[in-house]
Every structure is written in structure tokens, then in C-alpha cells.
Amino acid sequence: MTSTVLKRCFALSLLSLFCAGPAIALVGSAQASTKTTPYQTTRANSGTPNSTHVTKNSSGVIISYGNSSITYRAPSAALATLGQALYQENCASCHGTEANGVPASGVSGAFPDLVGLGPATITFWINSGRMPAANPRSVEAVRRIPRLDNGQALAIAAWIDTLAPGYPLVPYPHLKNANVSDGAALFALNCASCHTIEGDGDALAYGTSSPSLRHVPAIQVAEAIRTGPGNMPRFTGNLSDAQVNDVVKFVTTAIQHPQNIGGFGLGGLGPVAEGFVGLALGVGVLALVGFWVGERD
Amino acid sequence: MSDPHEHRTPVALKGLSADDPHLQPAAPNPQLVEKVIAICFVLGALCVAGFGACYWINAQAWKLGATMGFGLFFLGVGLVAWGKYLMPQGPFVEERHTLANSVADRDAFAAAIVERGGGVVQRRKLLGGLLGGGLGIFGVVAMFPLLRSLGPLPKTTLQHTDWAKGSYVVDQSGRRVQVGDFAIGSIATVFPEGTQDSDRGQAVDQTVLIRVSNEAFTTMKGRESWAPKGYVAYSKVCTHLGCPVGLYEQELQLLVCPCHQSMFNVRNGAIPQFGPAPRPLPQLPLYIDSSGFLRSQSDFHEAVGPGFWEHQ
Amino acid sequence: MTDVINTQRSKREALGPYGRVGKTLGELDDRLGVAKGGRTFMDKIFPDHWSFMLGEIALYSFVILLVTGVFLTLYFTPSQSYITYHGSYLPLDGQKVSQAFASTVNLSFAVRGGLLMRQMHHWACDIFVGAIVVHMARVFFTGAFRKPRELNWTIGTTLLILAILNGFLGYSLPDDLVSGTGIRIAYSIILSIPVVGSYLGFLVFGGNFPGTAIIPRFFILHCLIVPAIIVGLVGAHLFLLVRQKHTQFPGEGRTEKNVVGSPMFPVFMAKTTGFLFVVGGITALLGAFAQVNPIWQFGPYEASRISYAVQPDWYMGFLDGALRIWPSWSFHNWGHTIPFEVLIPAVILPGLIFNLAFVWPMLERKFTNDHEIHHLLDRPSNRPKRTAAGVAVLTFVIMLFVASSTDVLAKFFDVSLNTMLVAMRVLVIISPFIAYPITYKICRELQGFVGGGKRKTPNVVTRTAEGQYVATPSPVYVDDVHRGLPATPVPTFITEEPEDAGENGVRVVDR
């Protein structure tokens, strides 16, 4: 415990040394458009700064908070300048130069307003490869190889955060402290109804779909739970940071590395795949053997 | 299982000479086939022995299955091949005799029943009727305790849940939900306080609590006060077949049943807009008390879950 | 005969020409009179056509079900009382689970050979029901259900229903998330029955869902009552088969008055025992390499938990599909509700399908006015109307089955789930009407095609010195030469060449 506090103090001092100047300037400019709280929960240890260890920089901006389960950290404000350039290059054509969802004239359609969404939302969409979108007109963006790396994503998040601070910050789960069994129970109650109990995802209403969880890194799982990207709902008050950490642990262990002690896992499609195997490999092969055993005329 | 009427099937007492083609193996080159079969049997025996060894050392399931499977497979293939290629090829024939007996036999059988039995019953109609009546009553009466002991009567248990006036809304961990707890777009499964760990609470009282943004929400007539601060609660039990409707699509504002894909409109009283569900999910009237806790105004106004005869 | 005793030869002679076997059979015959019937049974002829093996797949997978099932009962605890799981599968450690679930997980992880037995049991069940359906299709399309075999057709159809029922009961026993959802749906289906539904539901489940009685009740049904009925009916099925003798396809030397094929002993016995081993082997290989129903990954059932994309085992799929695509027609008036959206697809529809199967032999007798006894089978193409009707009904059921995976199909074809569901509604209704005329047409075409289905020999084309090409048919296949033999009764005895080769004569081995 003390070591993490020490580390945070160290990080804090480093940050204040290197980026206090630009941070103050940028944050100051964004005070006017601060959004109200319905996007956040007031419950302690549930994703917003209502937690035990809140760290602020010298100008009073929260740069990290959390607990022994998840630490939420703001991207370094020093990246904001780089982030602005990256944003204008990669995102502004749809989300607008002010990140308010109003694109430059000539581009019609509704695009999400990014101001005040918080860094976790921004980094999730970029790091999961959904943004920049392959096809901005599609029903929903799908996971693909990210076009920007994590550092660039953090930079863009840092710049957008300067327009108006938002929460949650980027969650860093401490999986060592998680209880995979509690995670399994919470997953079955809250997540499996869309992602399936094997985490494979499937087609949902009106052309939407729930993505597979097989290759999602821990941070993105936590980000998705807390921010509710796209059609996914947010999980805020009913899941504490410890519980989110449990779910992340379950997803990154039991879902992503299932214990298939019974042979090949049959793609997690469940009884449909089992039915095809039973009929084709079971009845089918046996009928072929029967074809050999018997006569043809 | 032997034929109980074998005496009617005369057995052909006929010999064949050993070089009769019917007794020759079907295989054109029996020596080769014999070798192949021998190899099958050896492989099968080795695999079956391997199964024993795997079992002894407690090997993984797939090793047990593979050794047993291949063992049985090779033994079986060898045995089939033996029968198919090396045993007398035939074809052999057997006569098929008609199963029906002569008219005289049938008449004798029918007469035995009708004349003996009929005579007795006709002479003692009263006794027959009394016996039949007694057995009939026993048959009906025997059903009653048998059926009645199997379970309690439903009474009105299907019509009500444990939600009542002033029940605290708690999440799966038993924490009371306060007004600031949920960000917009959040969902949780909630229960009336005290039932979250009980079977009945899980099965009957389960409710989805969603916080929708005010601009996304249209209240139905008469339900204006049911969803304070955008907190709207619907029964989680699907009105089609009772699966938990836990699938919430935030942008479409739909609750979808994971079993048969009924789609309920969250904005508009959970009216089903697609799929087989016939009725909206019942809405739970909520209010926020002076300490900021979410509580229910009353029970659901109709029975939750799938339809049944007494459903009002 | 001299008084030489205690020599090998005299002992042998005292036993008679057939040695110990003959002596034992003699003793048995003294008491039970088995010689004549036994001999007839050994000589019993089984036709060899490959399609007659399909029923054997069903029979032998049932044998495997019995054997593996007995193993499983030793380790399964049929109880819904809760315990805290502490076992070798960590993602469940500390969870509140029912004893049924915990014992199934322990059976899979801790019992030696337990997982293999469980998986073999499950695969054998999938194969059992599948083989019954395929066997039933064979019987239907070849007209083997006709007089005098209507009763056996009825028994077979009952066996299919019982197999499906017992499959569902067994699938429900582990009390895992997926099977628990299935039980919940079954409860709601019972509830949908007008007037008595809620009472029936409470009686079956011992109260409101989920109750604590259903797993123990399913256990006794699954392990004792239904299997006992199945065993009895399988016995009756086989008894009737032996009593009425097997049908055969028409062919050279085959008439309504004979049966041509292989004798029970030793040819058929070798083949069929070998086939039993092969069925066991394939099932064991599936159990070894294809994981089935990994309940530890699903977790225990709680009524508020659910997984998307859960389907029942394949043989229940047509019901699930029907429930998905049926529109939301509910009757509600005078304070009462009739949930037609459940009642029709889940109760009335399967009732109609199975009753159609039950009454089909009677219907066919009535409409064709054919009251004759038939032992020779039909080629399906020679009965185009029956074949087309069967294909239409099968198509309908298969399309219902496909409709149970609308979500998987929507994902696969990348179309909207809603579009897929509407498409399935249309397909389920129109596909039988497409299947009927197509099948009918194919049957009529095949009727005009002589020798269809027979193995043909190639022509050998030779070029003469003058450059002329001559096509001569090549000799028939070696196997087919043997088939050309006229059938003979099974010999009572075999005349052999004497052991010493020089002698010119035969020794007749006779009784």
C-alpha cells in the first residue's frame, strides 16, 4: 500500500515538473464547457473520483484515483499538443474540429459529441480499432487492428480532456487482487446476456452485434464496462471497482483461455455446433460404416 | 430372443459340400484380408491395453477416450471384416410363413372368449357392473392424492411478487440504490431488499433498473411519476417464456430477450415491438425517498412473466 | 465298444460328435427344450442392405447410454440444495452452487474417467436420437411400416418421443446456466396449457419455479422410469422384428415368401457385434476429442442469470425454432389468458407432427385402399406421393430447427437478426410446398431410369487395326459375381473332404 502511494507521489511530482505549465493553460481554457454529472456515479469506488486515493496535480486537477482494485489515471497532459494534431488529422472530419460532433460544412449526419466524455471512452474507441471508423456510415463500428497506437490514443484523450474534464479516467485493473469466481457470477448476471457465457458475442437487434471478448485486453474490458460504448450499457453504481476487477479477471482468464479439458471447444457455439458434430461426425460416420458393413443391392 | 412358434417353421435338413460357392469367403484373396484383419485385432488389443494403462496412471480424458475409441474401433472393424469377407458369403434364404392362422383357429379363439366370458357376464350383470364401478372409482380416487401430493396449489402466488409499497431497491450485492448511483445509460438487475439471495427473489422479483436520459424517455399515460430522474424499472421476466430479459441496447433503447429475441421498447413502457412476446414487461413504479433512496411505490400492476390461464 | 476307460478318445466319444458344446446343449434341452428354437434362431436370415444398419446405430448407442449412464449415477448427486463449491475449477471456487451442479463438475474434474463417460453419454444421446430419426426416415420412405408392421412403427415413434424426452431430462440434470434456462422454458410451456396449466406446473415442479424438487424428480424419471419404458419398448420392437421377420428390397430370388441374406450365426453375429464395437469406438473418439456441454464454463443456474445464444440440444431445436418464429398471438379476455404464442408452437405443433406419424400407416391404408401384407420394400421413387409428403414434413421440421439458430445465421450471413427472423417465417411456411413438387418430379424421373442405384461396369473401348473403335462391356465386379448366386437355405451340416487326402470319399457329419 505504501509503495503505491509512494509511486503515485513520485509520478505526481514528475508530472507537475514536466507538464504543469501547459496543463494549467489548457484546463483553464476549458472550464466554461464542463458537463454535468449524470454521466458519473456518486457511489464510492465505482469509476468516478469518489474513491479512496484521489491524486491531484499542483493546479488541483485530478490526475488519478482508485483503490487496490483499479487505478484510474489521466493521460499525461503534456501529450495534449500532440493529441490535438493527431485529432485534427484523424478524427476532425467527422467529430468536428472542436470535437463537439459538428463536422466541417459539407459533411452531413450526426456524429457523437466527444467533449466531456472522459479519457477512458476515447482510448477505448481508438485502442479497440473502432476509431477512426472503417465506415462511418455503418450501423456500428467493429473491432479491428488499431490505426493509432496506445500513446497516440492517450494523446488524443489528453487533448479532448482539456476541452472539458470528464470521467472515468483510463482504468488500470490490478488483476492480482481480483477474485475470478466472483467475476464469473457477475459476468453471468450482467454480461452473458449479450456476449454469451463463452464470451463469443453474437448478432443482436437490427443489425447490431455484441463483439467477441476473446482477444480484448484487460484495460479495454474495464473501459467498456465503465463507459458503455455504443449500444452497450454502462455499469456504474451496481459494480464496485473491486467487482469490475473481478469481471476483468474472469474475462482475461476463463473466457480468453478456457479450460477445454474435454477436447476441442467447438467454437463456443454451444448446442448448435454440438448438434452438427453429433449428426455429421456421429450419425454420419456411423452411417458410412454401416454402408460398408451392409450390401448395396 | 427365440421364436416362440418355432414349431411352425420346419427346419431344412440339408447339407452343402465344403466347396459349395455359398460357403466360400466373399473376398477374392482371403489370405490378404486375413492379414489385414489380424493387424486390426493387434492394433485394437494394443489400444485397449493402452486404455488400461492410461486409466491406471490417471491420464487426461482425451487419452482415455482415444485409446478406448481406437481400440473398440479396430476390434469392431476387424470383426465386421471377418464376417463380411471371410465367412460363408451366401446368399442364404429362409422361407417366410404367413403369420395368420386358419379361420377355424381364429373362430375357436374368439369363441373361447366370447362364449365363456360373455355367458358369465350376461348372467351376472349386476356383479360385473358393481366390480367395474368399484375399480373405476378407485382409479379416479387414486389419482387425487398422487397428484395432490406432488406440489402445492398455485393460489395467487403467480399473480404477485415481493415488491411492495416502500420496498428498497437493492442490487445483486444487496446494496440499496441511491439516486446518484447510476450514470445515464446504466443497467442493473435489482431486487426488493431481502430477496436478492432467495430462489423466489431471483426467479420472480428480478427487475431491470435502467437509467435513461430524460430526453430519451417518454412516459406513458398514467405512469408519469413511475420513473423519477430517469430511473425506469421493468420486470426482468420475459412475458414470452420467462427468460431473464437482461439484454439492453442503449442506443436503440431496446430490451431484448436472449432466448427468443423479443424486443421491448424501453422508452415506451416496454411494449414489444418485435418477436413472439405478447405483452409489455410490467413496469415497477418507483419513487425517491427523502434520503435519496430508490423505492417501489407498489407491486407490479399485473402478473409478471409468461401467460397462463388465470393471468388477469 | 471296448471297456477302455480314462483315455482321451473314450472321453471324447462319450461326449458325442459335438463335444462339450453338444453335451451342454443337450443338458439345456432336457430342461428347457431349446434345441429346435435355438437352431431356428441360429439360421435366422437377416437381409444385408446397408440401410438396415441405421436402426442398429440407434440400438447400440442406447447400449452405450445405459453403460455410461450407470457409471454417471454413481457420482451424481440429484439435489438442489446449495453448497459452496470448493473444487479444482478455480473460476467457480467459493460460488453458491447446487449439489447437482457441484457433483457434475467434480465428476468431470476429479473422477477418473468421469469426464470421458459424461461426454460419451452426451454424444451417444445425440447419436441415439439422430439415428432413430434416420432409421425412421428409412422405414417411412421404403414403406416398411405397412401391414403387418404398423404396430412396430407405432412403437418406434413412441421410442423417438421418449428418447427426445429423456434427452431433455438428462440435459437438465447438471443444473447449469444453459440447462436451467431450458427448464425455465419448459415450466412456462406447461403454464401455457389452458385451464390446468398453472396447477400442472405447480404439481410437476412442486411449487412455483424454480422450487427445489425438479432436479430429483427429473433424476428419477431420467434414470429409472423413462429408460425402463424404453428398454421394454426396444424389447417389444426387436421381438416384433424377429416374429415378423425382416423386410427386404425386391431383387433376384427375393419374394414376399422368403428372406434372403446372412444367417444369424456366425455371419450376422460377427458383423453386428463388430458394428457395436464401432459405434462404441466412434462415441469414445467423440468423447475424447470433441468437448460437449462444458458446464463448468457455463456456471450454476440462477433464475436472474442468462446467456445469449443458448439453444437446447439439437433434437429440441425444432421446438425452440417454432417458439422463435411464431407471432405474438395471445388470447386475453374475460379475465383469462390463453398464451397461443406458446401453446401452438410448443404444444399443439409437436402434437400434430407426432400424431401424423402415428396415424400415417392408417391414413395410407385408407387412401390407397391397400390392405395387403407387404414384406418387400418400396423403392422411394416408386411411391412419389409418399416420398414427397415425407420430404415435405421433414423439410418443415428441419426449417424449424434452422430457425432455432437465427442469431447464428444472422451473424454468419451478416444480416439483421430481424430480417433473418422474418425470412425464417417465410421459409418455414413455403419450403414444404417447394420440397413436395421437386421431390415428386425427381421420383418420377427416377422411375424412368432403369438400373438406378446399381453398380455399373465400364465399357472397355479397343481400337482395331483398321482404326475402328469397339466397345465391349468389362466383366462384372468380383463381388457382384458372388451376389449372382441363387440363394440357398442355411445347411444343416457340411460335407467335408476327409482329413487324410489319399482316401477317395466323403465323411458325412450328421446328427
Side-chain angles (χ1 to χ4, degrees):
Chain A
M1 191 59 93
T2 42
S3 68
T4 45
V5 174
L6 278 174
K7 272 184 201 160
R8 278 200 200 114
C9 291
F10 183 63
L12 170 71
S13 49
L14 271 180
L15 275 171
S16 44
L17 265 174
F18 289 110
C19 42
I24 292 165
L26 287 162
V27 168
S29 72
Q31 289 302 324
S33 61
T34 306
K35 297 225 167 171
T36 45
T37 50
Y39 290 98
Q40 295 147 30
T41 166
T42 55
R43 180 169 267 179
N45 296 322
S46 292
T48 34
N50 213 341
S51 29
T52 31
H53 305 286
V54 180
T55 322
K56 299 181 180 181
N57 67 8
S58 55
S59 54
V61 176
I62 295 171
I63 56 163
S64 88
Y65 53 87
N67 43 54
S68 59
S69 300
I70 299 181
T71 304
Y72 296 83
R73 272 191 227 119
S76 159
L79 296 168
T81 325
L82 168 66
Q84 185 173 17
L86 284 166
Y87 175 88
Q88 300 302 346
E89 189 184 321
N90 292 293
C91 322
S93 61
C94 292
H95 293 284
T97 50
E98 304 296 315
N100 54 3
V102 184
S105 57
V107 185
S108 61
F111 294 96
D113 176 2
L114 305 179
V115 178
L117 285 185
T121 307
I122 309 298
T123 52
F124 174 83
W125 283 89
I126 297 174
N127 281 334
S128 67
R130 288 183 170 82
M131 289 292 147
N135 172 14
R137 302 268 165 228
S138 63
V139 178
E140 58 183 5
V142 290
R143 168 173 287 276
R144 54 178 186 151
I145 298 164
R147 293 294 181 272
L148 301 168
D149 65 27
N150 184 41
Q152 293 170 317
L154 285 170
I156 292 173
W159 178 70
I160 293 173
D161 208 36
T162 61
L163 305 175
Y167 301 103
L169 302 180
V170 182
Y172 294 90
H174 305 298
L175 297 181
K176 266 183 290 185
N177 302 335
N179 178 337
V180 68
S181 170
D182 290 350
L186 290 164
F187 186 89
L189 180 69
N190 294 295
C191 318
S193 54
C194 300
H195 292 284
T196 80
I197 193 68
E198 307 238 11
D200 283 295
D202 204 350
L204 304 181
Y206 298 105
T208 60
S209 64
S210 55
S212 164
L213 304 177
R214 297 269 185 194
H215 305 289
V216 185
I219 293 177
Q220 286 176 31
V221 178
E223 283 172 341
I225 294 171
R226 283 304 189 208
T227 66
N231 262 310
M232 177 171 163
R234 289 182 181 82
F235 294 87
T236 50
N238 70 322
L239 292 183
S240 69
D241 284 335
Q243 289 175 318
V244 170
N245 198 24
D246 296 343
V247 173
V248 174
K249 172 116 178 185
F250 176 73
V251 170
T252 51
T253 56
I255 292 276
Q256 297 184 351
H257 308 283
Q259 224 169 310
N260 289 332
I261 57 169
F264 295 107
L266 300 187
L269 280 170
V272 175
E274 288 167 7
F276 280 116
V277 170
L279 291 179
L281 288 183
V283 181
V285 168
L286 287 172
L288 280 179
V289 176
F291 189 67
W292 167 63
V293 177
E295 303 293 334
R296 250 56 103 218
D297 63 336
Chain B
M1 203 175 308
S2 73
D3 189 336
H5 295 270
E6 73 280 352
H7 61 275
R8 299 199 304 104
T9 321
V11 174
L13 289 172
K14 189 189 175 227
L16 282 178
S17 76
D19 58 355
D20 188 286
H22 290 92
L23 299 181
Q24 303 314 308
N29 44 356
Q31 284 78 18
L32 178 68
V33 174
E34 195 177 343
K35 275 177 200 151
V36 173
I37 294 174
I39 292 170
C40 278
F41 283 159
V42 169
L43 281 176
L46 284 177
C47 285
V48 171
F51 171 69
C54 285
Y55 197 87
W56 190 261
I57 63 167
N58 197 11
Q60 291 117 300
W62 74 267
K63 289 179 185 162
L64 289 171
T67 47
M68 179 159 95
F70 281 118
L72 286 176
F73 183 79
F74 282 123
L75 290 178
V77 166
L79 190 48
V80 169
W82 190 354
K84 187 176 162 75
Y85 297 120
L86 296 185
M87 289 184 185
Q89 59 165 343
F92 296 104
V93 68
E94 171 181 45
E95 278 180 58
R96 194 196 290 275
H97 299 276
T98 170
L99 289 166
N101 290 289
S102 69
V103 178
D105 281 341
R106 289 187 189 191
D107 285 351
F109 186 31
I113 292 175
V114 174
E115 282 171 13
R116 282 180 225 165
V120 169
V121 174
Q122 264 169 0
R123 244 175 284 153
R124 306 270 184 269
K125 268 190 184 154
L126 178 69
L127 290 184
L130 288 177
L131 178 65
L135 289 177
I137 292 171
F138 178 71
V140 173
V141 168
M143 300 296 281
F144 285 146
L146 179 70
L147 289 180
R148 188 60 190 82
S149 328
L150 282 173
L153 294 181
K155 300 208 171 89
T156 58
T157 45
L158 285 170
Q159 310 277 2
H160 303 292
T161 71
D162 299 315
W163 288 100
K165 189 169 190 286
S167 299
Y168 281 99
V169 175
V170 299
D171 64 17
Q172 77 283 342
S173 315
R175 291 171 298 209
R176 289 180 183 176
V177 177
Q178 262 184 305
V179 66
D181 282 351
F182 278 32
I184 283 172
S186 293
I187 184 178
T189 305
V190 295
F191 307 90
E193 192 172 44
T195 68
Q196 67 273 9
D197 289 324
S198 71
D199 277 350
R200 179 171 163 83
Q202 290 282 333
V204 178
D205 306 332
Q206 52 172 325
T207 298
V208 279
L209 179 66
I210 298 171
R211 189 170 192 195
V212 290
S213 63
N214 289 328
E215 55 264 35
F217 195 57
T218 348
T219 41
M220 286 179 80
K221 232 183 180 167
R223 299 187 182 179
E224 287 83 357
S225 70
W226 288 16
K229 303 253 183 208
Y231 281 99
V232 60
Y234 295 112
S235 164
K236 201 183 176 183
V237 191
C238 185
T239 54
H240 179 223
L241 285 166
C243 290
V245 190
L247 198 170
Y248 172 49
E249 297 210 54
Q250 195 202 152
E251 285 177 352
L252 297 172
Q253 288 294 354
L254 283 180
L255 274 167
V256 183
C257 179
C259 287
H260 302 100
Q261 282 96 27
S262 298
M263 297 170 189
F264 302 92
N265 188 337
V266 172
R267 279 191 199 127
N268 200 8
I271 287 173
Q273 65 178 57
F274 192 83
R279 286 181 304 282
L281 299 168
Q283 187 179 350
L284 183 72
L286 296 175
Y287 71 98
I288 295 169
D289 72 6
S290 51
S291 321
F293 286 109
L294 253 66
R295 297 165 77 169
S296 57
Q297 295 180 22
S298 68
D299 192 1
F300 293 101
H301 287 203
E302 58 174 306
V304 300
F308 52 97
W309 176 248
E310 296 90 350
H311 193 286
Q312 306 281 309
Chain C
M1 203 63 82
T2 53
D3 288 325
V4 182
I5 47 167
N6 278 341
T7 64
Q8 292 280 333
R9 192 187 173 84
S10 68
K11 261 187 176 175
R12 225 172 28 230
E13 276 172 1
L15 282 169
Y18 296 105
R20 251 170 246 254
V21 176
K23 176 96 173 130
T24 313
L25 286 180
E27 296 291 337
L28 218 56
D29 195 45
D30 283 345
R31 289 159 179 84
L32 302 171
V34 293
K36 230 173 165 184
R39 152 72 205 274
T40 313
F41 191 59
M42 292 292 105
D43 286 2
K44 185 154 192 61
I45 296 296
F46 286 86
D48 289 319
H49 195 264
W50 67 269
S51 67
F52 303 158
M53 306 302 289
L54 297 171
E56 287 186 28
I57 302 178
L59 179 66
Y60 294 144
S61 51
F62 182 63
V63 171
I64 294 161
L65 281 171
L66 288 180
V67 174
T68 52
V70 168
F71 182 94
L72 296 179
T73 50
L74 300 177
Y75 303 99
F76 177 72
T77 314
S79 162
Q80 269 168 297
S81 53
Y82 291 110
I83 56 166
T84 306
Y85 176 82
H86 292 295
S88 37
Y89 186 66
L90 287 182
L92 288 171
D93 190 59
Q95 277 199 47
K96 186 184 86 170
V97 300
S98 68
Q99 288 198 17
F101 181 80
S103 63
T104 314
V105 174
N106 278 333
L107 159 69
S108 309
F109 278 81
V111 174
R112 202 172 281 208
L115 180 66
L116 178 66
M117 287 295 140
R118 223 193 99 223
Q119 300 207 131
M120 279 180 71
H121 194 70
H122 202 125
W123 284 126
C125 171
D126 278 3
I127 293 172
F128 181 47
V129 187
I132 292 178
V133 171
V134 180
H135 171 61
M136 192 170 168
R138 195 281 294 170
V139 168
F140 180 84
F141 289 122
T142 58
F145 58 84
R146 289 173 301 173
K147 191 175 174 183
R149 296 186 175 76
E150 303 98 323
L151 180 60
N152 231 11
W153 167 262
T154 310
I155 293 175
T157 310
T158 313
L159 278 171
L160 173 62
I161 296 170
L162 289 174
I164 291 175
L165 172 71
N166 218 27
F168 173 75
L169 293 174
Y171 173 77
S172 303
L173 286 182
D175 204 19
D176 61 285
L177 182 65
V178 177
S179 72
T181 307
I183 301 181
R184 165 79 243 198
I185 292 172
Y187 184 80
S188 304
I189 291 172
I190 297 176
L191 221 54
S192 78
I193 297 168
V195 186
V196 295
S198 51
Y199 290 86
L200 219 54
F202 269 63
L203 291 176
V204 173
F205 280 70
N208 200 355
F209 180 83
T212 53
I214 199 64
I215 296 289
R217 285 182 185 179
F218 275 15
F219 179 73
I220 209 74
L221 283 170
H222 175 76
C223 300
L224 180 69
I225 297 171
V226 182
I229 301 172
I230 292 181
V231 167
L233 288 179
V234 166
H237 202 66
L238 295 180
F239 170 76
L240 286 181
L241 167 84
V242 170
R243 175 99 177 106
Q244 298 176 326
K245 296 204 171 87
H246 209 289
T247 52
Q248 59 188 351
F249 277 105
E252 236 180 273
R254 297 179 193 155
T255 67
E256 292 279 6
K257 298 215 173 294
N258 69 6
V259 197
V260 176
S262 304
M264 175 76 193
F265 186 80
V267 182
F268 181 76
M269 209 171 253
K271 282 187 185 179
T272 197
T273 312
F275 198 53
L276 165 66
F277 288 173
V278 172
V279 173
I282 296 285
T283 314
L285 288 176
L286 278 174
F289 294 113
Q291 178 169 279
V292 66
N293 203 19
I295 53 144
W296 57 93
Q297 290 173 14
F298 302 155
Y301 179 66
E302 281 261 26
S304 63
R305 297 181 189 170
I306 181 77
S307 168
Y308 194 64
V310 285
Q311 270 99 6
D313 265 358
W314 75 265
Y315 42 82
M316 300 287 287
F318 75 104
L319 279 181
D320 195 60
L323 283 166
R324 277 190 191 202
I325 63 168
W326 204 266
S328 55
W329 299 336
S330 182
F331 171 87
H332 180 80
N333 221 332
W334 304 297
H336 288 294
T337 300
I338 303 176
F340 283 123
E341 80 281 2
V342 178
L343 189 68
I344 295 176
V347 181
I348 295 175
L349 186 78
L352 284 177
I353 292 174
F354 285 118
N355 274 307
L356 180 64
F358 278 125
V359 301
W360 182 272
M362 201 191 73
L363 285 181
E364 196 178 299
R365 268 208 322 268
K366 199 172 165 65
F367 282 106
T368 60
N369 211 13
D370 176 2
H371 298 279
E372 294 301 306
I373 283 182
H374 296 279
H375 297 300
L376 285 180
L377 295 172
D378 292 327
R379 296 267 170 209
S381 55
N382 291 338
R383 297 284 176 172
K385 280 184 185 164
R386 179 208 290 150
T387 306
V391 169
V393 171
L394 265 183
T395 311
F396 178 68
V397 178
I398 289 170
M399 291 316 284
L400 285 178
F401 170 64
V402 172
S404 74
S405 40
T406 41
D407 52 330
V408 179
L409 292 172
K411 189 182 176 188
F412 186 78
F413 292 114
D414 198 19
V415 295
S416 160
L417 184 63
N418 305 53
T419 316
M420 196 69 225
L421 197 102
V422 174
M424 284 316 302
R425 281 180 179 165
V426 176
L427 280 174
V428 164
I429 293 168
I430 65 166
S431 53
F433 294 99
I434 296 174
Y436 187 96
I438 290 179
T439 316
Y440 187 82
K441 184 74 187 155
I442 290 175
C443 287
R444 296 310 293 262
E445 293 290 327
L446 282 175
Q447 282 175 17
F449 182 60
V450 181
K454 290 270 189 292
R455 186 146 65 160
K456 291 162 199 69
T457 53
N459 285 343
V460 178
V461 181
T462 44
R463 187 174 181 271
T464 59
E466 291 79 35
Q468 198 180 9
Y469 289 93
V470 180
T472 40
S474 66
V476 284
Y477 289 99
V478 184
D479 292 0
D480 296 347
V481 173
H482 296 297
R483 291 290 122 205
L485 287 171
T488 172
V490 182
T492 316
F493 47 83
I494 295 168
T495 54
E496 281 179 329
E497 297 288 331
E499 278 155 29
D500 39 352
E503 219 170 308
N504 190 17
V506 291
R507 181 169 64 86
V508 175
V509 182
D510 202 351
R511 285 194 262 195

